[in-house]
Amino acid sequence: MKRSMLFLTAALGLVALSGAQAATITIATVNNPDMVTMQKLTPEFNKVYPDITVKWVVLPENELRQKVTLDVASGAGSFDVATVGAYEVPIWAKNGWLDPLTPMFAKNPTIAKSYNVNDIIPGVRTALSQNGNLYAVPFYAESSMTFYNKDLFKKAGLTMPANPTWQQIQGFAAKIHNPSGGVYGICLRGLPGWGENAALFTTMVNTFGGRWFDQNWQAQLNTPAWKNTLTFYVDTLKKYGPPGATSNGFTENLTLMSQGKCGMWVDATVAAGFLSDPTSSKIVNTVGFANAPTGPGTPRGSHWYWSWNLAIPKSSKQEDAAFKFITWATSQDYIALVAKTKGSWASVPPGTRTSTYNNPAYKKAAGAFSSLVLNAINTADVTKATKDPVPYTGIQYVAIPEFQALGTQVGQYIAGALSGQTSIDQALQQAQAAATKVAKDGKYQK
């Protein structure tokens, strides 16, 4: 009897183990601060799902894009969870590269109920959906805005308007630029990349009255609007920016700004939380916030729309485990966990959930910027980003598959002009040729 009971107990143990469905998932993500926090909180995920082992591949933004795109497009299956942007999701969904998440929520009613997809900000949810299916969940969403050091402004007798112009920004930079004192008037993205310098630069082009293509897909990169923008950008950074600006992307400028070395910085709204975090920022008590600058052409397209999202590639062999991770990492509970871990609600991943902006604790902690950020996200219109009509959508990018390569190529030409390797006219001629080739080779021109 005892012997048969031992066999039965062993058998039940094997059944329990097999039911646990132990799995290993590999997650590819960008080395932004919010994602670094996500990685550090892996032990908290394992408290909920002890049978899922998580492996991380954390890369700089440009490298992440290249590796993940190649892997997902080829079906190599190296990644079970991919961090993808608002640009990629609809294109990859259309190509059949991503697993639709809506059926997974239907199969997991308990997760669906606690997750509450309808709590995701409507515009963000729409951007991640195709034909009624959700293809990714947002880790954080952002627009762009102006950050400035209030102490430096006060010393210079300056007042930042709520809606500054680029001309005003340049004037302020001239007055607070003090490199011998370790302070640069302004920091802007100079690192080449379609999601780096080209993103910021395209918002500038928009407000200077420019566009990438006209309605007939004729490239517009050698127009006066583009020349005026590039001349202004190069002039501003050469006179009032830090040295080696072509090496500075989001992460590098965040470090400079948080250390008090930049008088102003125009970049992603997600940085508001980082600059308000006393564990990483020296300017918590002196950082000010304003809307993204507008140019002389139009207020349209001055602030971008972006979200970093978690998606499951079609080539993943661990869809169930991957689904559990992405719903954990983008849930209301995760946001609360970050607030507890960081010691401040101002440090949570922003821009994704209505409940975050309705939360009294978040309103109190992020009161200086929360409404400004939410308004920027809600008013960023990807269908009306330029003064003149265009055949594409997107504010800081052109929503075609070829733009990832084109934007990076043009970003290199912009950096060449900034570094002095080429003239502004040469850079624009090269950019025009690259955009024309894309329009022709992609058969966009009729």
Side-chain angles (χ1 to χ4, degrees):
M1 180 70 176
K2 288 182 179 179
R3 191 173 181 182
S4 61
M5 284 294 292
L6 284 172
F7 279 120
L8 179 59
T9 302
L12 287 172
L14 288 173
V15 170
L17 284 172
S18 63
Q21 294 182 329
T24 298
I25 57 172
T26 302
I27 301 170
T29 196
V30 66
N31 63 345
N32 288 353
D34 275 325
M35 283 71 169
V36 173
T37 298
M38 175 172 61
Q39 183 184 9
K40 289 179 179 177
L41 289 174
T42 304
E44 298 297 324
F45 170 74
N46 286 132
K47 288 180 182 178
V48 183
Y49 298 107
D51 297 300
I52 300 175
T53 301
V54 179
K55 294 184 177 179
W56 290 91
V57 177
V58 184
L59 300 167
E61 186 169 327
N62 287 343
E63 190 177 346
L64 174 85
R65 295 185 195 284
Q66 293 170 357
K67 285 204 170 188
V68 172
T69 302
L70 180 62
D71 187 86
V72 174
S74 65
S78 302
F79 308 118
D80 301 292
V81 174
T83 305
V84 295
Y87 160 79
E88 289 98 345
V89 172
I91 296 172
W92 290 13
K94 187 177 179 181
N95 290 345
W97 296 350
L98 301 176
D99 275 334
L101 302 181
T102 303
M104 295 188 186
F105 278 108
K107 286 197 311 183
N108 294 273
T110 303
I111 291 177
K113 184 177 180 180
S114 63
Y115 188 82
N116 189 8
V117 168
N118 290 330
D119 184 45
I120 298 173
I121 292 171
V124 177
R125 193 169 69 243
T126 299
L128 304 178
S129 301
Q130 288 279 299
N131 301 320
N133 270 314
L134 191 67
Y135 279 89
V137 284
F139 187 67
Y140 70 78
E142 65 183 28
S143 186
S144 53
M145 66 193 292
T146 302
F147 307 98
Y148 65 101
N149 190 309
K150 292 188 288 186
D151 278 359
L152 295 176
F153 267 61
K154 186 177 180 179
K155 288 176 184 176
L158 302 173
T159 301
M160 174 68 77
N163 297 290
T165 66
W166 276 110
Q167 286 73 16
Q168 287 175 317
I169 292 292
Q170 188 185 63
F172 295 153
K175 292 182 179 178
I176 58 179
H177 187 58
N178 181 21
S180 62
V183 174
Y184 306 103
I186 190 165
C187 290
L188 298 172
R189 296 188 186 193
L191 183 69
W194 76 270
E196 285 284 2
N197 65 345
L200 172 78
F201 190 80
T202 299
T203 65
M204 295 178 70
V205 166
N206 293 340
T207 69
F208 275 69
R211 51 188 173 169
W212 280 80
F213 299 96
D214 68 14
Q215 284 191 296
N216 297 314
W217 287 98
Q218 298 294 322
Q220 301 291 300
L221 284 70
N222 61 353
T223 56
W226 273 75
K227 184 170 183 177
N228 292 340
T229 309
L230 187 55
T231 301
F232 180 90
Y233 170 83
V234 169
D235 185 54
T236 301
L237 274 177
K238 278 190 172 180
K239 288 181 178 177
Y240 314 119
T246 55
S247 298
N248 295 342
F250 171 81
T251 305
E252 294 77 16
N253 284 329
L254 172 62
T255 300
L256 288 169
M257 187 72 194
S258 64
Q259 297 304 304
K261 295 181 179 179
C262 297
M264 290 178 294
W265 179 34
V266 180
D267 213 295
T269 55
V270 69
F274 304 144
L275 295 174
S276 302
D277 183 353
T279 64
S280 59
S281 173
K282 293 181 178 179
I283 62 167
V284 171
N285 297 320
T286 62
V287 60
F289 310 97
N291 286 310
T294 57
T298 178
R300 288 183 177 183
S302 62
H303 54 285
W304 67 57
Y305 169 75
W306 187 253
S307 61
W308 277 117
N309 316 283
L310 301 181
I312 303 174
K314 203 80 170 177
S315 50
S316 170
K317 301 293 192 297
Q318 299 291 348
E319 287 92 346
D320 289 344
F323 179 73
K324 288 173 181 175
F325 182 86
I326 68 174
T327 49
W328 171 82
T330 61
S331 65
Q332 294 180 56
D333 287 345
Y334 176 83
I335 291 172
L337 176 64
V338 173
K340 181 181 177 182
T341 304
K342 290 279 192 178
S344 171
W345 271 90
S347 301
V348 304
T352 61
R353 288 183 171 269
T354 302
S355 58
T356 300
Y357 290 87
N358 290 336
N359 187 315
Y362 183 78
K363 286 181 177 180
K364 183 178 179 181
F369 59 82
S370 63
S371 60
L372 192 152
V373 169
L374 185 60
N375 183 65
I377 292 171
N378 285 335
T379 58
D381 190 343
V382 298
T383 66
K384 296 177 182 176
T386 55
K387 178 183 178 182
D388 298 316
V390 294
Y392 57 85
T393 60
I395 299 174
Q396 78 277 24
Y397 56 83
V398 178
I400 57 174
E402 296 88 349
F403 187 77
Q404 184 166 336
L406 173 62
T408 296
Q409 194 173 3
V410 171
Q412 290 166 347
Y413 300 143
I414 292 169
L418 178 58
S419 67
Q421 292 180 342
T422 60
S423 69
I424 286 172
D425 285 336
Q426 286 173 325
L428 292 177
Q429 288 169 6
Q430 292 171 319
Q432 174 74 6
T436 298
K437 187 175 188 302
V438 163
K440 289 181 177 178
D441 291 353
K443 295 183 171 38
Y444 293 98
Q445 294 179 357
K446 293 181 180 178

